[in-house]
Amino acid sequence: MFAVDVIHHIDDLASFFAECARALRPGGRLVLVTDSEDTLRQRSLTKFFPEILSIELQRYPSLPSLHRQASAAGLRLLVQEPAKGDIPLSSDFVTKLAAKCSSAMRLLAPEYHAAGMARVRVAQARGEQWRSCYTLLHYGSAARGGSGFTSAGS
């Protein structure tokens, strides 16, 4: 079961985790792909649009709070791992940024978006890459015993 970059849109995390725990097959996993304070500080979105950090920190639940909610539903953390990659700042990619392709960008004041786009265009001219990074959280049922996996980085 996967939930990719949606956890910050879920109002009732307790119900979410309870339903995931109920629906998991024996030996199954829930894999969340989400942002953490660490990944938010590393990514290009925050580098070029620094005003977005406070917005994102308010939107995303902290990793400890996710772990607590999962544990309360009978899930345990099996693995926590980073996922990072670099993307060329192509004209098409920059056009998407200018169109505010991420939900957080739509929350920026127009002057912050314009200043960030100016920084992006300078980076594009220098041939820089766009850094994308997330945290992957693998949960399994605590009642189903060990799976041989351990928590990394937690």
Side-chain angles (χ1 to χ4, degrees):
M1 182 178 311
F2 292 92
V4 179
D5 202 24
V6 298
I7 201 75
H8 60 290
H9 295 292
I10 297 173
D11 292 328
D12 185 352
L13 288 174
S15 293
F16 167 78
F17 281 113
E19 182 59 19
C20 289
R22 186 198 64 76
L24 275 179
R25 291 187 288 184
R29 284 188 185 201
L30 165 63
V31 179
L32 299 181
V33 180
T34 190
D35 284 313
S36 65
E37 183 171 351
D38 184 48
T39 59
L40 290 168
R41 292 182 184 282
Q42 293 179 42
R43 64 187 350 174
S44 290
L45 185 63
T46 305
K47 174 184 172 185
F48 296 120
F49 303 90
E51 300 82 7
I52 216 162
L53 180 61
S54 62
I55 294 169
E56 294 286 62
L57 288 173
Q58 290 176 25
R59 294 175 68 208
Y60 283 87
S62 70
L63 296 183
S65 71
L66 290 174
H67 300 332
R68 281 191 302 276
Q69 294 275 354
S71 179
L75 298 172
R76 67 183 180 91
L77 182 66
L78 302 172
V79 177
Q80 178 176 316
E81 61 185 330
K84 298 177 183 180
D86 294 317
I87 303 164
L89 281 171
S90 67
S91 295
D92 184 51
F93 189 82
V94 172
T95 298
K96 290 176 182 174
L97 292 174
K100 299 183 178 184
C101 59
S102 83
S103 57
M105 291 179 80
R106 293 182 190 114
L107 301 174
L108 282 175
E111 63 272 17
Y112 295 144
H113 183 257
M117 287 308 303
R119 289 187 284 271
V120 166
R121 289 184 179 97
V122 167
Q124 181 187 33
R126 290 184 188 149
E128 292 182 27
Q129 301 270 314
W130 180 271
R131 170 56 57 107
S132 182
C133 48
Y134 293 91
T135 299
L136 280 69
L137 305 171
H138 300 243
Y139 293 101
S141 175
R144 293 190 179 110
S147 66
F149 289 94
T150 58
S151 172
S154 59

